[in-house]
């Protein structure tokens, strides 16, 4: 594949293996830009990127904003609580009004699955899904793929275990789509009450025993308990969950020596992982954040850059 043709980035489900690899390759060039003294290239000079975050975010929002700035694009952040959405304007009308000011791309996060897709059908600006409900978080999965490849040199054939609240996790879904396309063996592991019915149809193994999956795993991808999305009582207690599924050093005694432990953040120390694991030798949590910036630069560049603009010319 030699050319990027997509106008939006909504899901990893729709991307081919070649498209995913193209993002990872482009991100590799952009990672070097952020290590320079002058962390800026003119690739998107004259373009405007707007952030529409209807849900809290630290990593994704800061990362997209920095990525756009490092590519020399102008950025605006819509303060949702102070916007005319509070006066009854629809989200589509809000997006159309932003587009009317010649904004080139909207980065959208929303608690309802499908909102970025609806906006993509209704506005001409490019849309990036920065997380929609329990459905999809494509740039998170891309940065996770990038990090695995960086740490272990490949993705094909690796045993990746995704552990935790699979039911409510857009990170799990996006990673399953991406990891399967790149040839990994994926196991999902968590309490039965937090396991989606029919998840096997996504081509994954299912386990309810974390000690079993640790023995063969190359990568453990830990997920936060999504309490804000749990409308029913899915667990006897957080303490019980931490005891059965939380990762600590005693659970890792039979783990592979070069195990990689990932977490998309925000982490709940003492719940899905202990502090010593979060800060320990297996953890690549902050590398994921660093790589997220390179991935978002790559995605913005591929969606908005023109052929004449070299990706990393200074
Ligand atoms: N991983 C992630 O999406 O983090 P934020 O919610 O802080 O953006």
């Amino acid at each position: 594949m030699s050319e990027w043709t997509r106008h939006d980035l909504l899901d990893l489900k729709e991307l081919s293996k070649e498209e995913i690899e193209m993002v990872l390759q482009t991100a590799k060039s952009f990672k070097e830009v952020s290590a320079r003294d002058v962390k800026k290239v003119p690739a998107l000079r004259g373009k405007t990127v707007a952030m529409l975050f209807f849900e809290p975010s630290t990593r994704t929002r800061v990362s997209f904003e920095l990525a756009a700035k490092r590519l020399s694009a102008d950025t605006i952040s819509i303060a949702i609580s102070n916007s005319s959405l509070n006066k009854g304007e629809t989200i589509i009308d809000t997006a159309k009004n932003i587009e009317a000011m010649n904004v080139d791309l909207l980065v959208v996060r929303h608690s309802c699955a499908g909102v970025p897709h609806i906006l993509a059908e209704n506005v001409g600006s490019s849309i990036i899904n920065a997380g929609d409900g329990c459905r999809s978080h494509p740039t998170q999965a891309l940065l996770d793929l990038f990090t695995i490849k960086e740490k272990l040199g490949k993705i094909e054939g690796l045993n990746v275990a995704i552990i935790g609240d699979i039911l409510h996790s857009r990170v799990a879904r996006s990673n399953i789509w991406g990891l399967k396309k790149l040839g990994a063996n994926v196991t999902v592991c968590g309490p039965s009450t937090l396991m989606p019915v029919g998840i096997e149809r996504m081509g994954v193994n299912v386990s309810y025993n974390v000690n079993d999956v640790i023995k063969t795993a190359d990568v453990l991808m830990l997920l936060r308990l999504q309490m804000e999305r749990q409308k029913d009582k899915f667990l006897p207690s957080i303490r019980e969950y931490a005891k059965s599924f939380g990762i600590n050093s005693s659970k890792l005694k039979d783990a592979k020596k070069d195990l990689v432990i990932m977490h998309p953040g925000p982490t709940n120390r003492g719940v899905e992982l202990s502090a010593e694991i979060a800060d320990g030798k297996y953890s690549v949590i902050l590398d994921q954040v660093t790589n997220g910036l390179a991935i978002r630069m790559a995605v913005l560049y591929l969606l908005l850059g023109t052929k004449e603009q070299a990706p990393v010319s200074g």
Side-chain angles (χ1 to χ4, degrees):
M1 189 189 164
S2 56
E3 212 176 299
W4 182 267
T5 53
R6 287 186 188 273
H7 183 256
D8 309 296
L9 178 64
L10 302 175
D11 280 324
L12 279 208
K13 192 179 182 180
E14 67 192 14
L15 259 57
S16 66
K17 181 182 179 202
E18 290 70 30
E19 285 172 310
I20 292 173
E21 281 171 345
M22 191 171 181
V23 177
L24 303 186
Q25 192 56 42
T26 309
K28 214 169 163 182
S29 325
F30 280 127
K31 189 166 176 183
E32 181 268 322
V33 172
S34 291
R36 293 181 190 169
D37 270 354
V38 179
K39 301 170 182 56
K40 210 163 177 125
V41 288
L44 295 186
R45 195 162 47 201
K47 302 286 184 185
T48 309
V49 176
M51 313 292 157
L52 267 86
F53 278 66
F54 296 84
E55 252 193 3
S57 168
T58 299
R59 282 144 287 268
T60 312
R61 184 179 180 137
V62 172
S63 180
F64 267 116
E65 202 155 333
L66 258 185
K69 286 185 194 318
R70 289 196 179 166
L71 295 169
S72 304
D74 295 315
T75 62
I76 49 165
S77 271
I78 316 300
I80 301 301
S81 56
N82 291 330
S83 76
S84 291
L85 282 154
N86 287 336
K87 301 175 192 166
E89 185 172 72
T90 68
I91 191 168
I92 293 174
D93 280 335
T94 297
K96 282 185 170 171
N97 276 272
I98 295 167
E99 183 191 19
M101 293 179 245
N102 294 320
V103 168
D104 299 287
L105 186 145
L106 308 181
V107 180
V108 181
R109 170 173 285 193
H110 203 285
S111 57
C112 292
V115 166
H117 305 68
I118 290 168
L119 294 183
E121 283 165 16
N122 284 278
V123 299
S125 312
S126 289
I127 303 288
I128 296 178
N129 181 358
D132 64 323
C134 303
R135 185 187 156 82
S136 189
H137 193 351
T139 56
Q140 178 67 47
L142 287 165
L143 74 88
D144 290 339
L145 295 171
F146 185 96
T147 306
I148 294 171
K149 204 165 174 186
E150 185 179 69
K151 298 294 169 192
L152 297 175
K154 63 173 186 174
I155 291 171
E156 189 163 8
L158 292 181
N159 296 325
V160 181
I162 307 178
I163 298 170
D165 180 359
I166 311 294
L167 184 64
H168 298 99
S169 178
R170 54 195 178 206
V171 175
R173 261 167 210 74
S174 291
N175 263 296
I176 292 169
W177 286 324
L179 286 162
K180 293 298 298 174
K181 281 183 185 178
L182 297 196
N185 308 309
V186 181
T187 301
V188 289
C189 177
S192 57
T193 48
L194 293 173
M195 194 62 73
V197 174
I199 187 87
E200 302 86 351
R201 288 199 295 273
M202 292 185 82
V204 297
N205 307 305
V206 178
S207 170
Y208 302 103
N209 186 325
V210 85
N211 296 311
D212 283 350
V213 302
I214 286 172
K215 284 181 200 143
T216 55
D218 298 294
V219 177
L220 299 181
M221 194 176 281
L222 312 181
L223 302 174
R224 184 175 63 89
L225 283 177
Q226 311 271 309
M227 301 308 285
E228 71 277 20
R229 298 204 180 96
Q230 294 187 15
K231 293 186 181 62
D232 299 314
K233 195 154 174 52
F234 289 92
L235 299 166
S237 70
I238 302 286
R239 201 159 156 260
E240 197 66 30
Y241 174 85
K243 202 171 148 207
S244 302
F245 294 97
I247 303 299
N248 53 36
S249 42
S250 69
K251 283 209 181 82
L252 294 185
K253 61 182 186 324
D254 296 326
K256 290 190 179 179
K257 294 283 166 282
D258 59 349
L259 177 71
V260 166
I261 295 186
M262 311 179 79
H263 193 305
T267 55
N268 287 317
R269 287 169 182 245
V271 181
E272 57 265 13
L273 77 178
S274 64
E276 61 177 341
I277 295 298
D279 303 325
K281 63 177 180 179
Y282 299 116
S283 171
V284 298
I285 295 172
L286 292 178
D287 298 281
Q288 289 172 265
V289 178
T290 303
N291 291 336
L293 181 54
I295 283 290
R296 285 161 183 138
M297 287 172 83
V299 168
L300 288 170
Y301 173 75
L302 290 169
L303 292 175
L304 290 181
T306 62
K307 290 183 197 74
E308 300 85 61
Q309 292 166 323
V312 292
S313 58

